[in-house]
Amino acid sequence: MKLSLGNGLRLAFRPWVEGLENIPAKGPAILASNHLSFSDSFFLPAVLDRKVTFIAKAEYFTTPGVKGRLTAAFFKGIGQLPVDRSGGRGAGEAAVRSGIQVLERGELFGIYPEGTRSPDGRLYRGKPGGLARVALATGAPVIPIAMIDTEKIQPPGKVVPKLMRPGIRIGRPLDFSRYQGMDGDRFVLRSITDEVMYEIMKLSGQEYVDMYATAAKRQIAEREKAEKAERAARHRAGKARGGEMAREGGESGGAGKSAGSGGGTGSAGGDDRAA
């Protein structure tokens, strides 16, 4: 399935690649990439001769029905590993164990240090738990990778992708053997993660934001919620003003009619007196 999907993506989108020589022909390596689109996990493996295993949400593998089985078969076919992300720290531990197992088999393990897709195309702070711990546990080199323009091909929520050329820049392998045995030191984990994110930033040219993408998404959601509430309040206020104006107009019209009727009676009375 990977072969046919990769061929199809290369023919349809013609992705350009720089630094392909930095991917080892054999042996374990961690591919650490920025994350712009759902399609990132498809375009990167499509340009490589070796299998890349990424972590995927367990829901992709457990959804019932025919559609669910087809989705599970698809993700298994392209080398995705299911991890239940609903368990907080337990989910992180499962991802680390899965990554170590892949690398111990001498394969390529793909990871997104940001932890989720960028909400606005900028590069966000990397999470120190997964990437750094897997690198220290296995001694595998970390290869920084920048996905270019994939968010324009398939933005969040869009089902049908736009036909255009994405780009992939592959940096030189990073060696963190100097930190071997220090995986319990949170400052070391932070340092490794920040070094990788800096290399990704240089490759991608993205603006760097020193906060987690998950926090940025919460802020955006809260802002959109507040803006929606404000629009609704303005709409209700507009309707209320419209109702008041309609009532005032009705009252004014009624008063005018009463005045007109009164004037007519007076004239008639005058005519009678004159007669």
Side-chain angles (χ1 to χ4, degrees), residues 220-230:
I220 292 171
E222 290 169 0
R223 184 168 63 247
E224 290 176 347
K225 184 178 179 180
E227 290 173 352
K228 184 178 179 181
E230 185 180 350

Side-chain angles (χ1 to χ4, degrees), residues 148-171:
I148 312 291
D149 290 338
T150 53
E151 82 282 11
K152 298 175 183 177
I153 292 175
Q154 192 175 24
K158 186 175 180 180
V159 178
V160 180
K162 177 183 178 181
L163 284 177
M164 61 176 290
R165 294 189 73 186
I168 302 170
R169 289 197 181 101
I170 304 171

Side-chain angles (χ1 to χ4, degrees), residues 56-63 68 71-73 75-76 80-83:
K57 292 188 292 187
E59 299 92 284
Y60 290 145
F61 298 83
T62 58
T63 304
T71 301
F75 278 98
K76 289 177 182 176
Q80 303 272 343
L81 282 178
V83 170

